[in-house]
Amino acid sequence: MWDFEEGEVLAFDKPLHWTSFDLVAKVRWNLCHKLGRKKLKVGHTGTLDPLATGVVIICTGKKTKLIDQLQYDVKEYIATLQLGATTPSYDLEKEIDATYPTEHITRELIDQTIPQFLGEQWQVPPIFSAVQINGKRAYEFARKGEEVELKPKLLVIDEIEVLAFDATTMQLTIRVVCSKGTYIRALARDIGERLHSGAHLTALRRTRVGNTRVEDCYTIENFLDALKNYEYVQNQ
């Protein structure tokens, strides 16, 4: 039996094009409506980009105190990269701004390059991100066309492997297990540079957070269906 006020930790498969805040807002509104409350603490343990899908952990009530702790859970992603082209956002949010040679890129070169990203890495976050700069989000500067310097952050990549490579389309699919604060978009940028070319993300799915796998998550639809049954039980 759920107790949303004492607190629950819920795992969702975030839909494409939703922000993490959109998901939190949807859950909060429905919970408040079912519980007949005007307010309820609801928060997530780690942002996932609108163009990504997959695991987002949401805490309610008193369990929101766990958010800081849960943010440090290891995360796993499946990412598809388009080699030979870049975008300002490092994904499909912005259009391609430059193209690069790819004739030299082979599976052998990729297999030699990808393991270089294992372990501790210094990564410069994307300018189109929520990183704070002088009290503002980096994307606020980016959307105005203002240039700012982002400081590199230390992160850890525990596992990285090639799942597929299509030499005809120059699409590369990888699996990444990494620490808090890792931007897979920035990793795509760095892989492109290390291959002496360019790259951007065309798809991203967070498949695991800690021990929670995406196949164990609620969709927003089946959670709302389950919530109807919760209301029914509560009214008995």
Side-chain angles (χ1 to χ4, degrees):
M1 178 68 67
W2 283 324
D3 188 335
F4 297 110
E5 293 168 321
E6 274 300 309
E8 296 290 344
V9 178
L10 306 166
F12 287 89
D13 183 353
K14 186 188 79 65
L16 186 66
H17 300 304
W18 286 38
T19 66
S20 300
F21 179 79
D22 289 337
L23 183 59
V24 167
K26 183 78 168 180
V27 171
R28 181 191 293 117
W29 187 91
N30 279 277
L31 290 182
C32 287
H33 180 70
K34 298 301 180 186
L35 298 173
R37 292 189 49 157
K38 291 183 178 179
K39 292 182 180 180
L40 180 68
K41 286 185 176 181
V42 182
H44 65 75
T45 68
T47 300
L48 192 58
D49 288 339
L51 293 180
T53 63
V55 184
V56 172
I57 306 295
I58 287 181
C59 299
T60 77
K62 295 178 182 178
K63 291 287 180 70
T64 53
K65 295 177 181 177
L66 297 175
I67 286 176
D68 286 346
Q69 172 188 333
L70 293 174
Q71 284 179 340
Y72 286 92
D73 281 345
V74 167
K75 298 170 179 66
E76 179 186 71
Y77 298 89
I78 304 296
T80 301
L81 287 64
Q82 178 62 58
L83 305 181
T86 57
T87 74
S89 58
Y90 311 149
D91 64 7
L92 295 178
E93 181 183 345
K94 299 294 179 181
E95 294 184 357
I96 290 171
D97 61 356
T99 57
Y100 300 84
T102 58
E103 294 82 4
H104 64 287
I105 299 177
T106 62
R107 177 61 191 255
E108 183 181 12
L109 178 61
I110 288 171
D111 287 341
Q112 291 171 354
T113 302
I114 292 300
Q116 297 173 17
F117 290 92
L118 270 173
E120 290 189 343
Q121 304 284 324
W122 286 98
Q123 184 185 80
V124 178
I127 185 63
F128 284 89
S129 68
V131 173
Q132 291 262 2
I133 305 172
N134 299 325
K136 288 186 177 182
R137 301 291 187 182
Y139 61 73
E140 295 180 53
F141 293 98
R143 287 170 182 166
K144 293 178 181 177
E146 298 177 14
E147 291 188 10
V148 290
E149 184 178 352
L150 291 170
K151 295 180 180 179
K153 294 187 175 184
L154 186 63
L155 53 89
V156 178
I157 294 179
D158 296 306
E159 299 176 42
I160 184 168
E161 64 172 329
V162 176
L163 298 181
F165 172 60
D166 187 327
T168 302
T169 62
M170 280 291 145
Q171 285 205 332
L172 170 66
T173 302
I174 59 174
R175 183 182 71 90
V176 183
V177 178
C178 55
S179 66
K180 174 184 183 292
T182 304
Y183 283 92
I184 306 300
R185 288 182 288 138
L187 178 62
R189 170 203 64 201
D190 295 342
I191 289 173
E193 291 177 356
R194 200 73 63 90
L195 289 169
H196 304 291
S197 184
H200 63 279
L201 278 185
T202 57
L204 180 63
R205 185 154 176 78
R206 185 190 280 166
T207 49
R208 180 167 63 88
V209 173
N211 294 321
T212 302
R213 305 198 70 85
V214 70
E215 53 265 31
D216 302 321
C217 293
Y218 287 107
T219 64
I220 189 63
E221 293 82 9
N222 62 31
F223 174 72
L224 295 181
D225 285 342
L227 199 57
K228 293 176 184 176
N229 296 329
Y230 168 81
E231 182 184 39
Y232 174 78
V233 172
Q234 290 296 94
N235 288 338
Q236 296 302 302

